[in-house]
């Protein structure tokens, strides 16, 4: 699955401006529409979910012969730029994926179909509440929930654990503490990190500038790292009015712990690699060069397909406030200017049904936001003997919501360069985090 990290890259959808040079989309539907059928186009950025959609829409078309559904895949890096261009130019597809940062601007501009009134209430009742809440604005739901990432957990390389004299049980209940008093995470990561001379990070001869094996993937990853560390450290990312409040004492301590893993203890890749490449750590894990990889179910398919070593999943490390994970979801929005409103509505209703969503779950590509379709996802991974309970168990302690509000894209664009400098070690954590919060609040539009 293409890395979503939707709440990180949402800044690409700041306002509905025309951007030239958008790339052409890849239409996956090979068959031509019958002359008497109406074509409804569905656009998304995830190739594995797109493959599941193809199967789903074949089933839909068997009972809806008057509709031909075309699946259009646009690479994630180009997706939001092309969407802005197409919406502004009245050329957007009938249905298109949105993330939590992009949809408010489209909703406020009147570009999205009102799902609250378009889809029957009994269908809506079956959708994951967290995703419904994420895509509800001014008491109106603006997208049909599609994917509901549960929580964040930690993938482990069993071979690297074994080499360090550790077992999965040894890393299944780790804790982090910025005071160091109750910190079991850092010592374990030191055992799992090596330089090119074979020295581990807890040895006097260790060269932190010359790593051959990483213990962990600390870095600026909002979904997999930052939101979880803030919440587990007792801090908030935003308050109830969507103002950014992460520069509290607890928030600064959480950022400091993350940055120290990279720049003081040298147990994670350099920010010079990860700031500009969101997939760097995942690729190191898949190449057998990283022992612990903290991420979500959005990387399950990648790890399953790409790891040629024994691996598994354990619980998220616990901080001073417990183990609290961020949650995120994806929705399919209806184009309010579609030339085929009735047919578009039927496709959206199918996407929000158990029958339509089970194809996504049964493929193992993602956790569906239709609750009744989620057992198909669990069954897929159980058949592969992969225990995914850690992604769900963490939710019992509470969750850290994804960034909210129309102001998020502009705020992310303002704060990200400042936080990049913090993770690079070129700006002190205290100064950089406070500056990032100030910039984010100055840039927000609500």
């Amino acid at each position: 699955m293409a890395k979503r990290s939707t709440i990180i890259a949402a800044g690409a959808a700041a306002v509905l401006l025309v951007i030239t040079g958008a790339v052409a989309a890849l239409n996956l539907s090979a068959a031509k529409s019958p002359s008497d059928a109406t074509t409804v186009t569905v656009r998304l950025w995830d190739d594995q979910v797109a493959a599941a959609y193809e199967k789903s829409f074949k089933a839909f078309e068997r009972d809806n012969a008057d509709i031909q559904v075309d699946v259009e895949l646009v690479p994630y890096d180009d997706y939001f730029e092309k969407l802005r261009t197409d919406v502004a130019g009245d050329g957007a597809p009938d249905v298109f994926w949105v993330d939590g940062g992009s949809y408010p601007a489209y909703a406020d501009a009147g570009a999205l179909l009102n799902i609250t009134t378009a889809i029957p209430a009994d269908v809506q009742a079956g959708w994951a509440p967290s995703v419904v809440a994420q895509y509800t604005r001014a008491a109106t739901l603006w997208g049909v929930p599609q994917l509901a990432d549960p929580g964040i957990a930690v993938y482990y390389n069993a071979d690297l654990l074994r080499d360090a004299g550790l077992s999965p049980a040894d890393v299944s209940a780790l804790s982090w503490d910025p005071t160091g008093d109750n910190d079991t995470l850092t010592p374990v990561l030191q055992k799992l990190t090596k330089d090119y001379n074979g020295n581990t990070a807890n040895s006097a001869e260790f060269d932190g500038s010359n790593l051959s094996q990483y213990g962990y993937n600390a870095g600026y990853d909002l979904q997999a790292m930052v939101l979880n560390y803030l919440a587990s450290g007792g801090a908030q990312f935003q308050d109830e009015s969507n103002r950014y409040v992460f520069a509290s004492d607890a928030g600064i301590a959480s950022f400091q712990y993350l940055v120290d893993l990279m720049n003081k203890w040298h147990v994670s890749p350099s920010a010079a690699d990860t700031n500009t490449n969101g997939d760097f750590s995942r690729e190191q894990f898949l190449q057998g060069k990283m022992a612990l990889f903290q991420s979500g179910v959005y990387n399950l398919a990648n790890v399953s397909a790409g790891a040629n070593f024994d691996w598994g999943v354990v619980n998220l490390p616990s901080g001073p406030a417990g183990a609290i994970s961020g949650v995120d979801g994806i929705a399919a929005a209806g184009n309010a200017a579609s030339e085929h409103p009735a047919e578009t509505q039927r496709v959206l209703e199918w996407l929000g049904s158990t029958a339509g969503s089970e194809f996504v779950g049964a493929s193992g590509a993602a956790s569906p936001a239709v609750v009744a379709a989620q057992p198909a996802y669990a069954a897929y991974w159980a058949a592969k003997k992969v225990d995914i309970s850690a992604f769900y168990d963490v939710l019992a302690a509470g969750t850290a919501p994804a960034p909210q509000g129309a102001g998020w894209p502009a705020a992310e664009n303002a704060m990200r360069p400042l936080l990049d400098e913090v993770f690079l070690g070129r700006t002190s954590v205290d100064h950089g985090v406070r500056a990032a919060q100030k910039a984010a609040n100055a840039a927000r539009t609500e």
Side-chain angles (χ1 to χ4, degrees):
M1 182 187 303
K3 180 177 173 63
R4 291 201 298 276
S5 293
T6 58
I7 58 180
I8 300 170
V15 290
L16 302 182
L17 298 176
V18 177
I19 306 293
T20 59
V23 299
L26 174 63
N27 192 311
L28 300 183
S29 300
K32 298 291 185 181
S33 300
S35 58
D36 58 348
T38 298
T39 298
V40 172
T41 302
V42 177
R43 180 185 293 178
L44 69 162
W45 61 75
D46 189 300
D47 56 346
Q48 294 190 34
V49 177
Y53 272 8
E54 288 286 352
K55 296 178 181 178
S56 177
F57 289 135
K58 286 181 181 178
F60 171 80
E61 290 166 354
R62 284 196 292 268
D63 295 326
N64 296 269
D66 60 321
I67 299 177
Q68 166 78 31
V69 184
D70 283 358
V71 177
E72 192 176 81
L73 182 67
V74 175
Y76 186 83
D77 289 344
D78 304 309
Y79 187 90
F80 294 103
E81 178 179 327
K82 180 169 175 57
L83 184 60
R84 279 200 306 278
T85 302
D86 291 344
V87 170
D90 295 324
D94 303 289
V95 177
F96 49 86
W97 270 15
V98 288
D99 65 9
S102 64
Y103 90 88
Y106 294 116
D108 293 351
L112 305 184
L113 185 67
N114 181 331
I115 299 301
T116 300
T117 58
I119 305 297
D122 61 331
V123 176
Q124 296 182 44
W127 298 340
S130 63
V131 187
V132 171
Q134 185 178 5
Y135 290 90
T136 296
R137 183 170 174 80
T140 299
L141 180 60
W142 294 105
V144 174
Q146 291 299 283
L147 311 184
D149 288 345
I152 299 298
V154 177
Y155 297 85
Y156 64 82
N157 181 322
D159 296 341
L160 298 186
L161 292 184
R162 191 179 307 111
D163 290 346
L166 299 170
S167 70
D170 293 324
V171 297
S172 65
L174 296 173
S175 61
W176 65 273
D177 182 356
T179 70
D181 293 342
N182 299 300
D183 189 23
T184 61
L185 176 60
T186 301
V188 164
L189 297 182
Q190 289 179 302
K191 292 181 181 179
L192 293 168
T193 304
K194 294 181 180 181
D195 64 20
Y196 271 96
N197 293 316
N199 302 308
T200 57
N202 57 357
S203 69
E205 296 79 17
F206 176 68
D207 180 0
S209 66
N210 192 27
L211 301 184
S212 63
Q213 177 180 306
Y214 306 104
Y216 188 53
N217 61 312
Y220 186 94
D221 183 330
L222 195 61
Q223 184 172 1
M225 286 288 167
V226 175
L227 288 181
N228 309 291
Y229 271 89
L230 286 173
S232 297
Q236 288 181 288
F237 186 68
Q238 288 175 289
D239 63 15
E240 293 74 14
S241 64
N242 293 337
R243 286 190 61 83
Y244 299 94
V245 294
F246 51 79
S248 62
D249 289 346
I252 290 172
S254 300
F255 273 107
Q256 186 70 64
Y257 185 91
L258 265 180
V259 170
D260 283 349
L261 290 178
M262 304 171 70
N263 300 330
K264 178 181 180 179
W265 304 115
H266 303 289
V267 295
S268 293
S270 167
D273 293 314
T274 57
N275 277 358
T276 57
N277 182 358
D279 292 332
F280 182 86
S281 290
R282 184 190 68 197
E283 295 310 308
Q284 296 306 301
F285 181 76
L286 292 179
Q287 293 170 25
K289 298 178 181 179
M290 180 177 288
L292 301 180
F293 173 56
Q294 186 167 302
S295 190
V297 296
Y298 49 84
N299 268 317
L300 262 174
N302 284 322
V303 173
S304 179
N308 60 358
F309 48 82
D310 186 18
W311 63 276
V313 184
V314 293
N315 297 330
L316 186 73
S318 179
I324 303 175
S325 172
V327 292
D328 193 22
I330 299 296
N335 184 352
S338 170
E339 297 179 356
H340 322 290
E343 292 82 1
T344 294
Q345 185 169 328
R346 284 160 61 189
V347 170
L348 284 167
E349 188 168 341
W350 172 256
L351 285 172
S353 69
T354 301
S357 292
E358 278 184 333
F359 288 90
V360 174
S363 73
S367 177
V370 178
V371 176
Q374 290 177 354
Y377 182 69
Y380 174 90
W381 289 107
K384 289 184 171 291
K385 302 188 185 308
V386 176
D387 181 2
I388 62 173
S389 59
F391 296 109
Y392 293 88
D393 291 347
V394 70
L395 302 178
T399 59
Q404 304 290 318
W408 164 241
E412 205 273 345
N413 282 339
M415 67 186 247
R416 178 62 192 265
L418 298 169
L419 290 177
D420 278 348
E421 291 296 299
V422 169
F423 279 84
L424 284 165
R426 296 199 289 237
T427 301
S428 73
V429 172
D430 185 274
H431 174 76
V433 171
R434 293 183 190 278
Q437 176 179 287
K438 182 178 180 180
N441 282 319
R444 62 192 288 269
T445 57
E446 62 175 14

